[in-house]
Amino acid sequence: MFIRPFLTTALLALGAALPAAAHDDRLHEIEAFFADADIVSGPTQVDCTLSGGTKTSCFSITVKPNPKAYTPGPWCPQTITDGADKGGIWFLDGGVADVDGDFITRLAKIYGDTEWQLFDPETGQVRFTGTLEACEAAARPDVDPAYQNYCVQCLPEYLPEDTAMTYVIPLEPIKADAPSPTHFAGSGLAYNGIRLDGPAPVDAILGAHTIAPFDDCGGHVNTHVGYHYHAVTTCLQDAPATTVNAATYGPQIGIAMDGHPIMAHKDGIEDQLDACNGMEVDGLGYLYFAGAAGDNAILGCHVAEVGCTLEGKDATCDASQMGRRGPPPGGGQPGQAGPGQPRPEN
C-alpha cells in the first residue's frame, strides 16, 4: 500500500527533480501498483526524452498483454440467435450496446445504411474473422475488400507467446506547453499491465461496414500491441489500494503516459474536469478520470509530456520524435501511432 501521496505535489508544481531516495521509493510504489501485471522485466529507472524534449528520469516496465484475473473475450457472436454472453460490446450513441445476434441483424437500421449485411440470411451464420490472416486483413485502416461486412475479432492466441510491450513513463510529470493527443503512445497503463489506449478508429471501422467489438471489459486484440482497452468498465474495480484511493477519488486504475494517476470513471464530476478528463485535487495533485465506457476516450488528451511505448525492452525512449514524423502509414486514422510506435489499427 502506498504510504504517501502519489507524488510529492510541491516538487511537481515547481518542476523540481526528485532526490535519488524518492526515486527509489517511487519505484517500489510502482512495483506494488503493477503486482497483478504479467511482468517480463522492471520497473527500473531509465533515462528518457519526453514528447516535449525534456530529458528526465522514467520508469521502464515490460509486460505481456495478458490479464491474470480473467480470460479476454468473447467478441463476435457466431449466429444471429446468440445472446449477449456470446459477444462483446460496441460504442453506440454515447453508450455501449451488447453485440449479440440481434444487434448484428439490426446494423442496417441502426446506421441507416442498407449495405450492412454481416450474416448469411439463409443460415443465420455471422461472418467473422476466424483466422490470423483474416484478422490482419480486416483489422487495418484500409480494410481488405474481401472482409467488408465482417465482424472483426483477433484472438490472443494469434500472437506469439513472448509478445510484450515496454512502457517508459516519467517518474514525475513535466507539464507540457499544450495538451497532446493520446493516439501516439496510448493513454496509459492499467494496474494489470494492459494498455489503456487512445480512441478506437470507429469511423474507419464503420466505413468498411465492419464491427470490431470490445469484450465486456472494454478490450480487444490487434497484432501490434495485443489485448488493450478502449474503455474502462467494472473489470478494473479491484485496483490495489493507493493514497488517492483513500481520498474518495479512487480507485486508481492506471498511470497515464505522462505520469499522472488515472482514476476510474466517476459520475457527477464531469463539469469539474478539463478537456483531458482531469483536474487538480488539493493535496493529491492532478488526477485523470477515465471517460464513461461509451465515450471512446479513456482520456481526452495529456496535460504533461509523455513517454514511450516500445516493442523492445532495450530500446531507448525519445518521445520528442513522435509528433515530427507526420501521419502514420495508411492515412493516420485516430487510434494509430506514428512510425516507430506500435500501430493499434483497432
Side-chain angles (χ1 to χ4, degrees):
M1 181 179 296
F2 298 3
I3 57 174
R4 64 181 176 83
F6 187 81
L7 285 171
T8 306
T9 306
L11 283 172
L12 296 181
L14 295 172
L18 292 173
H23 277 172
D24 290 341
D25 289 345
R26 180 78 180 107
L27 284 174
H28 289 312
E29 292 177 353
I30 292 165
E31 182 178 13
F33 185 72
F34 291 113
D36 288 337
D38 191 349
I39 297 176
V40 175
S41 63
T44 56
Q45 183 178 333
V46 297
D47 294 332
C48 56
T49 303
L50 303 182
S51 56
T54 300
K55 297 182 183 299
T56 187
S57 293
C58 289
F59 73 88
S60 175
I61 185 170
T62 302
V63 291
K64 292 184 177 181
N66 173 39
K68 294 180 179 180
Y70 66 92
T71 300
W75 291 281
C76 294
Q78 297 187 19
T79 74
I80 60 174
T81 59
D82 282 346
D85 61 323
K86 302 294 186 182
I89 59 176
W90 184 243
F91 301 144
L92 185 64
D93 297 332
V96 295
D98 287 323
V99 181
D100 54 15
D102 178 65
F103 179 85
I104 296 295
T105 67
R106 294 187 294 109
L107 285 169
K109 182 177 181 180
I110 289 171
Y111 291 111
D113 182 351
T114 58
E115 294 294 319
W116 283 95
Q117 187 65 51
L118 267 66
F119 66 98
D120 186 323
E122 294 184 1
T123 65
Q125 296 293 311
V126 175
R127 299 188 186 95
F128 62 91
T129 54
T131 66
L132 169 61
E133 293 73 21
C135 152
E136 290 180 328
R140 67 189 199 194
D142 54 335
V143 175
D144 187 322
Y147 291 99
Q148 295 194 13
N149 260 309
Y150 263 71
C151 186
V152 181
Q153 63 176 16
C154 298
L155 303 182
E157 51 262 38
Y158 294 165
L159 278 67
E161 188 174 342
D162 61 353
T163 296
M165 294 295 300
T166 297
Y167 298 83
V168 183
I169 299 174
L171 284 167
E172 50 180 300
I174 306 294
K175 186 173 177 59
D177 293 335
S180 61
T182 61
H183 60 266
F184 286 112
S187 294
L189 187 64
Y191 68 86
N192 61 357
I194 304 303
R195 176 185 175 109
L196 296 162
D197 219 332
V202 171
D203 289 345
I205 295 169
L206 297 177
H209 296 96
T210 57
I211 292 288
F214 317 101
D215 63 12
D216 287 347
C217 293
H220 63 189
V221 176
N222 69 45
T223 56
H224 294 286
V225 300
Y227 182 70
H228 58 283
Y229 295 124
H230 285 291
V232 173
T233 70
T234 56
C235 294
L236 291 178
Q237 63 185 357
D238 294 328
T242 69
T243 300
V244 287
N245 287 4
T248 73
Y249 290 99
Q252 180 187 343
I253 54 92
I255 299 177
M257 290 303 299
D258 64 6
H260 286 299
I262 302 177
M263 319 305 288
H265 177 72
K266 191 174 182 65
D267 288 323
I269 65 168
E270 290 82 2
D271 60 346
Q272 302 175 49
L273 303 180
D274 59 25
C276 294
N277 287 7
M279 66 177 180
E280 289 284 344
V281 177
D282 288 344
L284 298 176
Y286 186 88
L287 306 179
Y288 290 112
F289 292 84
D295 287 352
N296 192 21
I298 296 174
L299 302 185
C301 44
H302 287 119
V303 297
E305 296 185 34
V306 303
C308 303
T309 53
L310 304 170
E311 293 187 9
K313 65 180 181 180
D314 296 324
T316 300
C317 173
D318 184 356
S320 67
Q321 299 300 309
M322 288 191 300
R324 302 175 188 173
R325 291 168 172 162
Q333 296 291 345
Q336 293 180 277
Q341 298 284 325
R343 298 196 312 273
E345 277 82 353
N346 287 331

